[in-house]
Amino acid sequence: MGRTARPWHRKHDGWWYATVLPGTPATKLLKAPKTKANERKAFDALSRLQVSTNPNATFDEEPAADLIEAFLDHSNNHHKATTYRTYCTHLNYFAEFCGRVPCRQLTLSHAETFLTKQAEKKSRSRVSTVTIQNGRYKGTIRKHVVKLQPWGKNQQATFAKSLRSCWNWAVAAQKVSTNPFATLSRPFVATRQQIVSAEVLDRMSASADDAFKNVLVALRNTGCRPSEIARLTAAEVDMAACCWVLPIHKTDKDGQPRIVWLNETMVKTTKRLMKENPSGPLFRNARGTQWTKNAIVLRFSRLRAKLGLPKGTIAYALRHTFVTEALVNGVPMAMVAELVGHKNDRLIRSTYGHLRQKSKFMQSLAETATRRPS
């Protein structure tokens, strides 16, 4: 895969340099101190130099919207549906902002200005009409109200990642000469998810209907992602091996299925649900249809309001609870990563292991670590 050229600073003479074409001597770009602002200026200077250096860069003179459309076509054919929707959401907004600007004239400031405007926009509602496609109310036209919020830090970080991915692909495919957004970055802010205790889980189960109780039990006893439970079908259950075999999952880049191993509680729950739903989705709502991501999010939101639970009590918090309890119970970190479908056990330690919320357990470890031998 092609790599975007990057400018560098030489302290002895104070100049920013870059290699415009591979194998050619370094070119002076800008004489200025080494700062982030001057690095952006050096990137802009490099972009101007590279405008005509690649004769195969067919999109250098084309509008940015055309390049974004080409990337979205590529994403639709090679990425997952969720990834494609994320790219569409963010890149189409950017295309509306500066889609008519030729790719060779784009600079980092275009993206910075766009992010500033998105962060400063006021909350507003957009009303559209939706026609119901199936079910009892098929053909009924209803109003659909979407509340648009200013972009927070995580949404800005996702946009920066999407924009870099688009132009990195274009550079690798020799559609543009350079990536003006190579240094565009916004930090993600980790959500403060709460460990869901057994008492809180019991209160949630007591306030939920039978269909949602099944979801709560599965989230807590498998450590699955909510989307994995929503998509699970009876055909993906292997009761002989006491596991679920998921061919489609978040980390399926190597083509290997995700194996979800079941404890006794989940074996009983799975057998019961297979009798109720011998084909199609295993976990269904009270209407008998498949759970959706928004439906699960809304159920947790209502339970938080009803029971007075903290904001961090969300569906994914039960996955974090599963990981934390497994670490407390002595399950090796590599095995925990295998149980929850992660390739890297370091992420388990840094993101999923909320051991700080297990104060008594950590105090007992400190006692053990400092205990003098008899």
Tab-separated table of all heavy atoms in Angstrom, residues 179-204:
chain	number	residue	atom	x	y	z
A	179	ASN	N	-1.954	13.363	0.178
A	179	ASN	CA	-3.029	13.402	1.158
A	179	ASN	C	-2.871	14.655	2.015
A	179	ASN	O	-2.024	14.695	2.913
A	179	ASN	CB	-2.986	12.146	2.041
A	179	ASN	CG	-4.084	12.137	3.092
A	179	ASN	OD1	-4.911	13.042	3.145
A	179	ASN	ND2	-4.095	11.115	3.925
A	180	PRO	N	-3.679	15.684	1.794
A	180	PRO	CA	-3.543	16.906	2.599
A	180	PRO	C	-4.035	16.744	4.033
A	180	PRO	O	-3.804	17.615	4.865
A	180	PRO	CB	-4.416	17.917	1.837
A	180	PRO	CG	-5.439	17.079	1.150
A	180	PRO	CD	-4.743	15.796	0.789
A	181	PHE	N	-4.716	15.631	4.321
A	181	PHE	CA	-5.295	15.430	5.651
A	181	PHE	C	-4.530	14.385	6.466
A	181	PHE	O	-5.063	13.813	7.414
A	181	PHE	CB	-6.761	15.008	5.511
A	181	PHE	CG	-7.553	15.860	4.569
A	181	PHE	CD1	-8.077	15.330	3.403
A	181	PHE	CD2	-7.737	17.211	4.827
A	181	PHE	CE1	-8.795	16.111	2.522
A	181	PHE	CE2	-8.453	18.015	3.948
A	181	PHE	CZ	-8.988	17.461	2.784
A	182	ALA	N	-3.289	14.116	6.087
A	182	ALA	CA	-2.522	13.070	6.766
A	182	ALA	C	-2.308	13.365	8.238
A	182	ALA	O	-2.211	12.449	9.058
A	182	ALA	CB	-1.178	12.871	6.072
A	183	THR	N	-2.230	14.640	8.616
A	183	THR	CA	-1.996	14.990	10.019
A	183	THR	C	-3.276	15.371	10.753
A	183	THR	O	-3.214	15.762	11.917
A	183	THR	CB	-1.004	16.170	10.117
A	183	THR	OG1	-1.529	17.290	9.395
A	183	THR	CG2	0.353	15.784	9.547
A	184	LEU	N	-4.431	15.266	10.086
A	184	LEU	CA	-5.692	15.594	10.749
A	184	LEU	C	-5.980	14.562	11.839
A	184	LEU	O	-6.024	13.355	11.575
A	184	LEU	CB	-6.840	15.598	9.737
A	184	LEU	CG	-8.221	15.937	10.301
A	184	LEU	CD1	-8.261	17.372	10.802
A	184	LEU	CD2	-9.299	15.703	9.246
A	185	SER	N	-6.160	15.023	13.050
A	185	SER	CA	-6.354	14.100	14.164
A	185	SER	C	-7.206	14.742	15.242
A	185	SER	O	-7.101	15.941	15.498
A	185	SER	CB	-4.999	13.676	14.743
A	185	SER	OG	-5.170	12.804	15.832
A	186	ARG	N	-8.054	13.916	15.836
A	186	ARG	CA	-8.833	14.312	16.999
A	186	ARG	C	-8.839	13.128	17.972
A	186	ARG	O	-9.044	11.996	17.559
A	186	ARG	CB	-10.274	14.678	16.621
A	186	ARG	CG	-10.414	15.950	15.826
A	186	ARG	CD	-10.075	17.171	16.668
A	186	ARG	NE	-10.355	18.419	15.975
A	186	ARG	CZ	-9.567	19.001	15.104
A	186	ARG	NH1	-8.406	18.433	14.797
A	186	ARG	NH2	-9.900	20.140	14.535
A	187	PRO	N	-8.599	13.372	19.246
A	187	PRO	CA	-8.539	12.254	20.197
A	187	PRO	C	-9.931	11.743	20.552
A	187	PRO	O	-10.876	12.512	20.695
A	187	PRO	CB	-7.859	12.873	21.423
A	187	PRO	CG	-8.233	14.328	21.352
A	187	PRO	CD	-8.309	14.668	19.890
A	188	PHE	N	-10.038	10.424	20.664
A	188	PHE	CA	-11.269	9.818	21.162
A	188	PHE	C	-11.333	9.987	22.676
A	188	PHE	O	-10.314	9.953	23.365
A	188	PHE	CB	-11.322	8.326	20.823
A	188	PHE	CG	-11.674	8.038	19.394
A	188	PHE	CD1	-10.690	7.818	18.447
A	188	PHE	CD2	-13.006	8.005	18.997
A	188	PHE	CE1	-11.016	7.547	17.131
A	188	PHE	CE2	-13.342	7.741	17.682
A	188	PHE	CZ	-12.344	7.516	16.744
A	189	VAL	N	-12.533	10.163	23.188
A	189	VAL	CA	-12.760	10.268	24.629
A	189	VAL	C	-13.454	8.989	25.094
A	189	VAL	O	-14.546	8.666	24.618
A	189	VAL	CB	-13.619	11.496	24.981
A	189	VAL	CG1	-13.848	11.569	26.478
A	189	VAL	CG2	-12.946	12.772	24.484
A	190	ALA	N	-12.808	8.267	25.981
A	190	ALA	CA	-13.377	7.009	26.450
A	190	ALA	C	-14.624	7.261	27.292
A	190	ALA	O	-14.646	8.167	28.125
A	190	ALA	CB	-12.343	6.228	27.270
A	191	THR	N	-15.670	6.470	27.028
A	191	THR	CA	-16.884	6.591	27.824
A	191	THR	C	-16.676	5.938	29.185
A	191	THR	O	-15.996	4.922	29.298
A	191	THR	CB	-18.054	5.898	27.118
A	191	THR	OG1	-17.707	4.529	26.869
A	191	THR	CG2	-18.374	6.578	25.802
A	192	ARG	N	-17.261	6.541	30.204
A	192	ARG	CA	-17.116	6.013	31.565
A	192	ARG	C	-18.189	4.962	31.828
A	192	ARG	O	-19.220	5.242	32.432
A	192	ARG	CB	-17.203	7.155	32.572
A	192	ARG	CG	-16.047	8.138	32.436
A	192	ARG	CD	-16.124	9.215	33.516
A	192	ARG	NE	-14.999	10.122	33.435
A	192	ARG	CZ	-14.809	11.160	34.251
A	192	ARG	NH1	-15.691	11.406	35.197
A	192	ARG	NH2	-13.755	11.933	34.113
A	193	GLN	N	-17.933	3.768	31.348
A	193	GLN	CA	-18.911	2.709	31.515
A	193	GLN	C	-18.840	2.133	32.918
A	193	GLN	O	-17.769	2.004	33.506
A	193	GLN	CB	-18.684	1.623	30.470
A	193	GLN	CG	-18.861	2.149	29.045
A	193	GLN	CD	-18.692	1.071	28.005
A	193	GLN	OE1	-18.501	-0.078	28.337
A	193	GLN	NE2	-18.761	1.447	26.753
A	194	GLN	N	-20.008	1.774	33.443
A	194	GLN	CA	-20.121	1.257	34.800
A	194	GLN	C	-20.126	-0.266	34.785
A	194	GLN	O	-20.693	-0.889	33.891
A	194	GLN	CB	-21.417	1.760	35.440
A	194	GLN	CG	-21.507	3.269	35.576
A	194	GLN	CD	-20.593	3.783	36.674
A	194	GLN	OE1	-20.393	3.123	37.685
A	194	GLN	NE2	-20.046	4.965	36.478
A	195	ILE	N	-19.492	-0.844	35.785
A	195	ILE	CA	-19.641	-2.281	35.989
A	195	ILE	C	-21.049	-2.531	36.529
A	195	ILE	O	-21.478	-1.891	37.485
A	195	ILE	CB	-18.582	-2.803	36.979
A	195	ILE	CG1	-17.191	-2.624	36.384
A	195	ILE	CG2	-18.832	-4.269	37.316
A	195	ILE	CD1	-16.965	-3.340	35.092
A	196	VAL	N	-21.770	-3.438	35.914
A	196	VAL	CA	-23.144	-3.730	36.308
A	196	VAL	C	-23.113	-4.849	37.340
A	196	VAL	O	-22.803	-6.007	37.019
A	196	VAL	CB	-23.995	-4.139	35.092
A	196	VAL	CG1	-25.440	-4.408	35.515
A	196	VAL	CG2	-23.946	-3.051	34.024
A	197	SER	N	-23.418	-4.521	38.583
A	197	SER	CA	-23.403	-5.511	39.657
A	197	SER	C	-24.585	-6.455	39.516
A	197	SER	O	-25.545	-6.194	38.786
A	197	SER	CB	-23.446	-4.812	41.019
A	197	SER	OG	-24.669	-4.118	41.176
A	198	ALA	N	-24.520	-7.577	40.260
A	198	ALA	CA	-25.605	-8.557	40.224
A	198	ALA	C	-26.909	-7.945	40.726
A	198	ALA	O	-27.995	-8.246	40.204
A	198	ALA	CB	-25.227	-9.775	41.062
A	199	GLU	N	-26.809	-7.059	41.730
A	199	GLU	CA	-28.013	-6.426	42.265
A	199	GLU	C	-28.677	-5.522	41.221
A	199	GLU	O	-29.909	-5.536	41.067
A	199	GLU	CB	-27.665	-5.611	43.511
A	199	GLU	CG	-27.209	-6.430	44.710
A	199	GLU	CD	-25.774	-6.914	44.578
A	199	GLU	OE1	-25.053	-6.404	43.697
A	199	GLU	OE2	-25.385	-7.804	45.354
A	200	VAL	N	-27.857	-4.730	40.519
A	200	VAL	CA	-28.406	-3.849	39.490
A	200	VAL	C	-29.009	-4.665	38.357
A	200	VAL	O	-30.091	-4.343	37.829
A	200	VAL	CB	-27.313	-2.901	38.962
A	200	VAL	CG1	-27.816	-2.135	37.730
A	200	VAL	CG2	-26.882	-1.927	40.041
A	201	LEU	N	-28.341	-5.752	37.981
A	201	LEU	CA	-28.858	-6.603	36.912
A	201	LEU	C	-30.194	-7.228	37.307
A	201	LEU	O	-31.109	-7.336	36.481
A	201	LEU	CB	-27.840	-7.684	36.564
A	201	LEU	CG	-28.160	-8.539	35.335
A	201	LEU	CD1	-28.250	-7.678	34.078
A	201	LEU	CD2	-27.102	-9.626	35.145
A	202	ASP	N	-30.320	-7.622	38.559
A	202	ASP	CA	-31.593	-8.179	39.040
A	202	ASP	C	-32.701	-7.130	38.975
A	202	ASP	O	-33.837	-7.442	38.604
A	202	ASP	CB	-31.440	-8.697	40.470
A	202	ASP	CG	-30.586	-9.957	40.545
A	202	ASP	OD1	-30.416	-10.606	39.489
A	202	ASP	OD2	-30.077	-10.270	41.638
A	203	ARG	N	-32.381	-5.885	39.341
A	203	ARG	CA	-33.381	-4.823	39.272
A	203	ARG	C	-33.804	-4.563	37.824
A	203	ARG	O	-34.999	-4.355	37.544
A	203	ARG	CB	-32.822	-3.542	39.883
A	203	ARG	CG	-32.616	-3.588	41.394
A	203	ARG	CD	-31.920	-2.324	41.870
A	203	ARG	NE	-32.704	-1.130	41.520
A	203	ARG	CZ	-32.195	0.099	41.522
A	203	ARG	NH1	-30.910	0.299	41.819
A	203	ARG	NH2	-32.964	1.129	41.212
A	204	MET	N	-32.838	-4.589	36.911
A	204	MET	CA	-33.165	-4.379	35.499
A	204	MET	C	-34.025	-5.517	34.966
A	204	MET	O	-34.995	-5.286	34.229
A	204	MET	CB	-31.870	-4.246	34.683
A	204	MET	CG	-31.034	-3.020	35.027
A	204	MET	SD	-29.448	-2.989	34.179
A	204	MET	CE	-29.959	-2.760	32.487
